[in-house]
Amino acid sequence: MNLDATFQALADPTRRDMVERLARAPATVSELAQPYAMSLPAVVQHLAVLEASGLVRSEKQGRVRTCRVEPAALSLAEQWFNQRRAEWDARLDRLGEHLKRFPDGEPK
Amino acid sequence: MNLDATFQALADPTRRDMVERLARAPATVSELAQPYAMSLPAVVQHLAVLEASGLVRSEKQGRVRTCRVEPAALSLAEQWFNQRRAEWDARLDRLGEHLKRFPDGEPK
DNA sequence: CATATACTTAAGTCATAACTTAAGTGATTG
DNA sequence: CAATCACTTAAGTTATGACTTAAGTATATG
């Protein structure tokens, strides 16, 4: 559940697509792999990256592994953006106040 | 302004820190570099990654380059999470409806 | 119980990322 | 106008990522 691993995981289009699909519904490894033009092991490696980041978790029953997204991990990343936006807005506010106080530029 | 480059850029803690600081206020390259225990070229390379992603833009005046965040690029990434959340919620809703209709499990 | 299924493990290849040091360029400044 | 300052460019090193193929291991299923 750390941002390094989370953003790293989301930097790959295949992995982002996997998360998009898993956000709509859980899927098995083979189902997940089906659309991609790559070997199964490659898909499983992508999955491992997603699991390591905490974005996805999976559970094996018999010989079938079912994967689902972990919304908490998505929220954590989302929060990072919320905080940046808050800081950005705070700065704009300070800037506005400042301009109201010194409309003709900084006093020398 | 693509998500691959954006998330890739944010996957590095130094670059995330740079964005955090630039969200609070613009800074020159040297100011930006000052806290980090790495060479200036390394910092500039991080900066190049941020600029390539569109998260940061910079402008040179004389020999000083000033950097600032591009909030639009942050928004774009933020939206990706909004969409995932929306899909996740939609799925929970469908599931709830379904359970209301078949409280004792799927009809065989 | 032999065979197919659904992954798993292992190992190797090739490209990219994250630095480094050394040497340059062009704008200020004493 | 010589020195300093604020980057820039170039090139090399080491680690990490994104695959591949080949072979293996538990579950089902006919």
Side-chain angles (χ1 to χ4, degrees), chain B residues 21-33:
Chain B
R21 292 169 56 207
L22 292 176
R24 290 192 281 268
T28 68
V29 171
S30 327
E31 284 167 0
L32 212 50

Side-chain angles (χ1 to χ4, degrees), chain B residues 95-106:
Chain B
L95 223 96
E97 267 309 302
H98 192 82
L99 286 179
K100 213 181 287 174
R101 201 182 297 262
F102 305 113
D104 304 333
E106 199 78 5

Side-chain angles (χ1 to χ4, degrees), chain A residues 29-47:
Chain A
V29 172
S30 327
E31 284 167 0
L32 212 49
Q34 195 267 320
Y36 309 123
M38 67 178 74
S39 67
L40 220 203
V43 169
V44 173
Q45 281 168 34
H46 280 304
L47 213 38

Side-chain angles (χ1 to χ4, degrees), chain B residues 29-30 40-41 60 63-65:
Chain B
V29 171
S30 327
L40 220 205
K60 197 165 184 176
R63 59 186 174 178
V64 179
R65 177 173 295 278

Side-chain angles (χ1 to χ4, degrees), chain B residues 79-97:
Chain B
Q79 279 175 43
W80 187 85
F81 290 97
N82 297 158
Q83 286 163 16
R84 299 299 76 71
R85 178 191 295 281
E87 285 168 352
W88 166 265
D89 289 346
R91 175 166 175 267
L92 284 195
D93 287 352
R94 284 196 306 275
L95 223 96
E97 267 309 302

Side-chain angles (χ1 to χ4, degrees), chain A residues 47-72:
Chain A
L47 213 38
V49 173
L50 288 169
E51 291 210 49
S53 77
L55 284 166
V56 167
R57 95 191 123 81
S58 73
E59 201 183 339
K60 197 165 184 175
Q61 289 189 54
R63 60 187 172 175
V64 178
R65 177 172 296 278
T66 303
C67 312
R68 52 193 81 247
V69 284
E70 190 60 69

Side-chain angles (χ1 to χ4, degrees), chain A residues 7 11, chain B residues 3-16 19 46 49-51 53 55:
Chain A
F7 286 132
Chain B
L3 289 176
D4 273 34
T6 301
F7 285 131
Q8 184 60 54
L10 294 176
D12 183 274
T14 300
R15 286 193 297 257
R16 249 185 353 265
V19 171
H46 280 304
V49 173
L50 288 169
E51 291 210 48
S53 76
L55 284 165

Side-chain angles (χ1 to χ4, degrees), chain B residues 33-47:
Chain B
Q34 194 269 319
Y36 309 122
M38 68 180 72
S39 67
L40 220 205
V43 169
V44 173
Q45 281 168 35
H46 280 304
L47 212 38

